[in-house]
Amino acid sequence: LFMIFGDLVLRDTSFKANTAAKLGGGVYMGFSSSLDSSSNTFSGNTAERKGGALYLVNTNELSSRDDKFADNKAHDGGCISLILPRTDHASITSPVLDGCVAQHSGGAIYFESSTDVTLKVGSATAQNNKAVNGAGGVVYWSKESDRMNTDINPAVIVTFVSENKNSAVVGNVVA
């Protein structure tokens, strides 16, 4: 699914065994788009570069609740890549993150920001996620500096219901 400049509501949908040559194996959203996602399953999706299941770039809003991500793969962000969001917060509530693999960083979630945005991942179940050659077995976040604005403070807040058997070169859980 490819979408730019729009709002998308996903409910009780399955994205299985999809492949993207570069970004967003299941869903690619960008440029002023908003995603409201609930009770969906993303399994066995692959992206060559970022976002095995979901790739979101310059999006206005991300709200994900009770979504299941299993066995998705990418270079960065085995399940989800959230790049340069245009909002002050993004939330992923009660996700199941199982068996997602990034060849580099962010086994399950890769988050990159150049603004004061907070990513909240709450009540997560995370197991068997891997950042094979990089950091953040479950979550990796990067503060991309803007030479004009060096006073930015993106943040990540993560709470787990269950977390086990996640691995990375640096930061088995969060880096």
Side-chain angles (χ1 to χ4, degrees), residues 156-175:
V156 175
I157 300 169
V158 182
T159 59
F160 293 101
V161 170
S162 171
E163 177 279 313
N164 62 59
K165 298 182 182 175
N166 300 292
S167 63
V169 175
V170 176
N172 286 341
V173 179
V174 177

Side-chain angles (χ1 to χ4, degrees), residues 112-131:
E112 181 180 302
S113 182
S114 63
T115 62
D116 289 334
V117 63
T118 299
L119 171 62
K120 293 181 182 177
V121 181
S123 301
T125 298
Q127 58 192 22
N128 305 311
N129 299 293
K130 296 178 187 175

Side-chain angles (χ1 to χ4, degrees), residues 13-170:
T13 303
S14 291
F15 292 85
K16 294 182 181 181
N18 297 292
T19 301
K22 292 191 178 186
L23 307 167
V27 175
Y28 176 108
M29 292 192 68
F31 309 103
S32 301
S33 296
S34 295
L35 176 61
D36 180 359
S37 178
S38 179
S39 302
N40 299 295
T41 300
F42 300 86
S43 63
N45 300 292
T46 303
E48 188 68 30
R49 304 221 36 223
K50 293 184 179 179
L54 295 175
Y55 178 81
L56 300 102
V57 61
N58 292 323
T59 52
N60 286 341
E61 183 178 337
L62 167 61
S63 176
S64 169
R65 294 170 310 286
D66 303 313
D67 287 330
K68 294 179 179 138
F69 299 89
D71 304 315
N72 298 289
K73 298 176 184 173
H75 181 75
D76 288 312
C79 290
I80 301 167
S81 286
L82 179 60
I83 311 296
L84 306 173
R86 302 172 69 135
T87 182
D88 60 355
H89 69 280
S91 67
I92 302 170
T93 306
S94 301
V96 173
L97 306 163
D98 186 8
C100 295
V101 177
Q103 286 304 308
H104 192 252
S105 293
I109 300 170
Y110 180 92
F111 171 61
E112 181 180 302
S113 182
S114 63
T115 62
D116 289 334
V117 63
T118 299
L119 171 62
K120 293 181 182 177
V121 181
S123 301
T125 298
Q127 58 192 22
N128 305 311
N129 299 293
K130 296 178 187 175
V132 177
N133 296 306
V138 179
V139 178
Y140 172 82
W141 72 278
S142 172
K143 174 182 171 180
E144 290 298 313
S145 65
D146 178 343
R147 291 184 184 144
M148 303 298 283
N149 181 10
T150 57
D151 190 31
I152 59 169
N153 295 298
V156 175
I157 300 169
V158 182
T159 59
F160 293 101
V161 170
S162 171
E163 177 279 313
N164 62 59
K165 298 182 182 175
N166 300 292
S167 63
V169 175
V170 176

